[in-house]
Amino acid sequence: MKAVIDVHGLVKTFGDKRVVDDVSLQVGKGQIYGFLGPNGSGKTTTLRMLCGLLTPDAGSGTCLGFDIRKESAEIKRRTGYMTQKFSLYEDLTIRENLDFVGRVYGLDKLKSRVDAALDRLGLASRRKQLAGQLSGGWKQRLALAACILHEPELLLLDEPTAGVDPKARRDFWDQIHALAGAGLTVLVSTHYMDEAERCHEILYIAYGKLIARGTIADVISQHDLATWSVTGPNLYLLSQELQRTPGIDTVAAFGTALHVCGRDAALLERGIAPYRLRPDLTWARTSPSLEDIFIQLMSGLDTNGAGKAPEPSA
Ligand SMILES: Nc1ncnc2c1ncn2[C@@H]1O[C@H](COP(=O)(O)OP(=O)(O)OP(=O)(O)O)[C@@H](O)[C@H]1O
């Protein structure tokens, strides 16, 4: 299968800061890829290089079969990009907003395009509503409708659901899956674990480097992270003690339990041994969640043992 995105060795430096460092990516058609990583790790910059809005300092490749350096106009024509801070005209209706976007881009068959986008995203019954009166979730949906008006083949969505409630996020993701089902390829950056779990594959970027990718099961199994769950009283105090215990790399609260993780299973067991004797605590071996893996990655410890990643500069 021909890759929709096939780029190698992308580098982008701002001043003396290398914010994207040797990123290579292959992305298949009709798939949803989740782009994850800490703030400032280079996700937006990578998305902007893929769609031709930024020229990489080094690296090359194609997006939708076009050269990302030389044919950015062709790529932009076929890509829908939803930025973190998209703007809508609050005193225009949903329909008027879409008409306006279509006219700015000089789209032909505008009426039928707007009708199709309204239908596709379930906005038809609200088409006369002012954008300013919409809730956050409906605003995101309108922004998505504006992105698909020109019938792109690729959607790049930069944290599209930030600040949106869980029900609206779920609805938004149903729309993304419907679009992918119709053949669109989607790259979406997010900080939400539940959204990561709705992607076909995830890409984890930290300090400008792509350090994990694959299905969720792949990413969990690639990082051999021994994990125990513990329940009992005063978990906060326990968590503080465990964090100082050799052999324990990370401790994170999940509801009424702590997940206690370590890259070396034997060292981890040695670390928790005294605590397993306490009658008020219940310990169980468990599988790491995706969040456990990300907490481990974000703690600067590469679970493949490559050492500590550089501190991001302020
Ligand atoms: N045009 C620019 N000029 C200078 N520095 C920039 C520019 N664009 C981005 N940066 C810096 O590059 C780094 C990476 O930014 P980027 O927006 O790609 O990260 P991100 O992973 O998308 O972050 P977030 O999750 O917060 O959106 C940040 O330190 C940012 O301040």
Side-chain angles (χ1 to χ4, degrees), residues 152-309:
E153 295 163 51
L154 173 67
L155 272 182
L156 303 178
L157 310 176
D158 200 356
E159 291 183 39
T161 58
V164 173
D165 72 52
K167 163 81 170 67
R169 289 201 289 120
R170 178 175 283 248
D171 292 345
F172 190 88
W173 272 83
D174 287 342
Q175 302 295 336
I176 293 177
H177 272 274
L179 293 170
L184 261 91
T185 306
V186 184
L187 238 74
V188 50
S189 73
T190 178
H191 288 290
Y192 296 112
M193 289 305 122
D194 59 320
E195 294 191 347
E197 286 171 359
R198 298 197 69 178
C199 297
H200 296 117
E201 277 199 33
I202 50 176
L203 307 155
Y204 188 90
I205 187 164
Y207 315 110
K209 285 187 181 295
L210 188 60
I211 55 174
R213 72 163 296 172
T215 62
I216 293 193
D218 289 343
V219 170
I220 291 176
S221 69
Q222 280 158 15
H223 298 86
D224 196 13
L225 191 64
T227 305
W228 286 79
S229 142
V230 56
T231 51
N234 299 323
L235 285 184
Y236 178 69
L237 286 179
L238 177 67
S239 132
Q240 305 243 302
E241 268 185 55
L242 291 172
Q243 274 167 20
R244 292 192 294 268
T245 305
I248 297 175
D249 291 326
T250 59
V251 182
F254 283 82
T256 56
L258 296 179
H259 275 198
V260 183
C261 304
R263 285 164 300 158
D264 183 322
L267 274 185
L268 175 65
E269 288 198 24
R270 212 172 299 155
I272 65 173
Y275 298 94
R276 289 182 66 196
L277 298 173
R278 273 178 51 177
D280 57 334
L281 299 177
T282 307
W283 288 85
R285 204 53 218 262
T286 187
S287 304
S289 65
L290 188 62
E291 192 159 349
D292 288 320
I293 302 292
F294 287 166
I295 291 168
Q296 185 83 6
L297 290 168
M298 278 192 223
S299 73
L301 296 163
D302 177 344
T303 51
N304 284 323
K308 199 166 173 62

Side-chain angles (χ1 to χ4, degrees), residues 89 92 94-115 117 142 145-151:
Y89 289 94
L92 296 185
I94 287 182
R95 168 145 221 142
E96 287 165 346
N97 264 285
L98 294 177
D99 280 336
F100 180 78
V101 171
R103 279 200 298 275
V104 166
Y105 288 100
L107 297 180
D108 60 357
K109 298 179 274 168
L110 190 54
K111 182 174 180 318
S112 62
R113 282 180 190 273
V114 170
D115 285 341
L142 173 54
C147 285
I148 62 165
L149 215 48
H150 61 302
E151 291 171 38

